[in-house]
Amino acid sequence: MTDIRREEAGTTADSTPVHAWTLERAGTRVRLLTYGGVIQSLQVPGRDGTRADVVLGLPALADYLTSGGPYFGALIGRYANRIGGAAFTLYGRTYRLPANDGDNCLHGGGYGFDRRVWDAEPVEDGVRLSRTSPDGEEGFPGRLDVSAAYTLTAAGALRIDYRAVTDAPTPVCLTNHTYWNLGGAGSGPAGGHELRIAAGHITPVGPGSVPTGELTPVGGTRFDFREARTVGKGYDHNFVLDTAGPDEVAAELYDPVSGRLLTVTTTEPGMQLYTGDSFDGKPFGPGDGVALETQHFPDSPNRPEFPATVLRPGEVYTSSTTYAFGVR
């Protein structure tokens, strides 16, 4: 069984208490914050048995409250990734969203799920975070009751199960925005990691990194990770996964130095690869982590040709992603 511990982590500016939950099982230890659903740290052993923190996290709650940074480890919603023009039309009505990424809405707006304090309760082998996003929050229609259960499996894999229901049609796309460095946080750039993504296409982008609506084959391009190769830099793109279910490997990330291996499985149709090139050195430098954000496609509310993201009353949004750890 998973060892589950809770402790106080501090308070927000309005004196809302925040707690940290630590889950430990089979060599994996993960620390979560109820602020933003953040994965603050995740420790796993390497080839030599030494355990290291393999996610980019900030030292204390105060750092998350003041950073305004690149979503370190956060739970993202109501809509992960970009919505072009910070607007979408649903059933003939246009909804305006905060433009917090140039002209676009990124990761649910300037005050998205990553900046909210979540309720938490222990569940079997983990903790479930939940909150109600009211109608009109960051411009999105409908009340959304949403939860994310973080659990550790018998093998020490971290699984996140998302669930949401609504009282009015609304787009929903949830993800976790952890940056991985399998050599250990602060050990330097992760560009030397080897990456494999089971994706034969990407959704190419135009101005503002918003998809053009096309699906482009990766063959013969720098986006071809169907066979493992060094990650490098310069990626902030959505890959169209070929995998059909949660038991098929969507991606593998491997650090040849430490021997640590991360295997990602997901029910989602896409994965955003972001190599953190914009990090400013406070506290992490460019390329110090690799984000593998399982998701539906960016700008889907404006792209009827993409997989649908609209949740309607009476329906249940579910999504599951598992991060498994091993060594070679």
Side-chain angles (χ1 to χ4, degrees), residues 42-48 50-56 179-194 253-262 284 287-290 325-326:
L42 195 155
Q43 299 177 7
V44 291
R47 188 187 295 118
D48 63 0
T50 302
R51 197 154 56 175
D53 182 4
V54 296
V55 305
L56 304 191
Y179 295 91
W180 303 94
N181 186 322
L182 300 181
S187 64
H193 286 21
E194 296 174 6
L253 186 67
Y254 173 65
D255 174 32
V257 177
S258 70
R260 295 186 183 93
L261 173 69
L262 168 67
F284 301 107
D288 276 2
V290 175
F325 308 99

Side-chain angles (χ1 to χ4, degrees), residues 155-190:
L158 174 64
R159 174 170 172 155
I160 307 178
D161 289 289
Y162 307 89
R163 185 182 189 277
V165 295
T166 184
D167 65 358
T170 187
V172 180
C173 179
L174 307 178
T175 194
N176 176 271
H177 208 296
T178 289
Y179 295 91
W180 303 94
N181 186 322
L182 300 181
S187 64

Side-chain angles (χ1 to χ4, degrees), residues 144-313:
L144 190 75
D145 294 314
V146 58
S147 67
Y150 298 70
T151 57
L152 290 180
T153 71
L158 174 64
R159 174 170 172 155
I160 307 178
D161 289 289
Y162 307 89
R163 185 182 189 277
V165 295
T166 184
D167 65 358
T170 187
V172 180
C173 179
L174 307 178
T175 194
N176 176 271
H177 208 296
T178 289
Y179 295 91
W180 303 94
N181 186 322
L182 300 181
S187 64
H193 286 21
E194 296 174 6
L195 176 65
R196 182 175 74 85
I197 303 178
H201 296 78
I202 63 165
T203 52
V205 297
S209 295
V210 175
T212 63
E214 305 166 282
L215 302 183
T216 299
V218 300
T221 75
R222 69 187 184 96
F223 299 101
D224 192 351
F225 288 95
R226 290 175 295 180
E227 298 292 334
R229 63 183 181 85
T230 302
V231 179
K233 298 180 180 180
Y235 294 96
D236 190 8
H237 298 80
N238 174 61
F239 286 71
V240 181
L241 296 175
D242 297 330
T243 52
D247 296 326
E248 298 183 51
V249 174
E252 289 183 331
L253 186 67
Y254 173 65
D255 174 32
V257 177
S258 70
R260 295 186 183 93
L261 173 69
L262 168 67
T263 302
V264 183
T265 57
T266 185
T267 59
E268 290 297 283
M271 175 179 289
Q272 188 83 5
L273 168 62
Y274 177 45
T275 48
D277 304 305
S278 63
F279 290 172
D280 61 5
K282 301 176 182 178
F284 301 107
D288 276 2
V290 175
L292 301 170
E293 307 159 55
T294 57
Q295 60 179 18
H296 270 58
F297 300 172
D299 202 33
S300 287
N302 294 315
R303 297 288 178 183
E305 65 271 32
F306 284 175
T309 58
V310 175
L311 179 68
R312 298 172 178 83

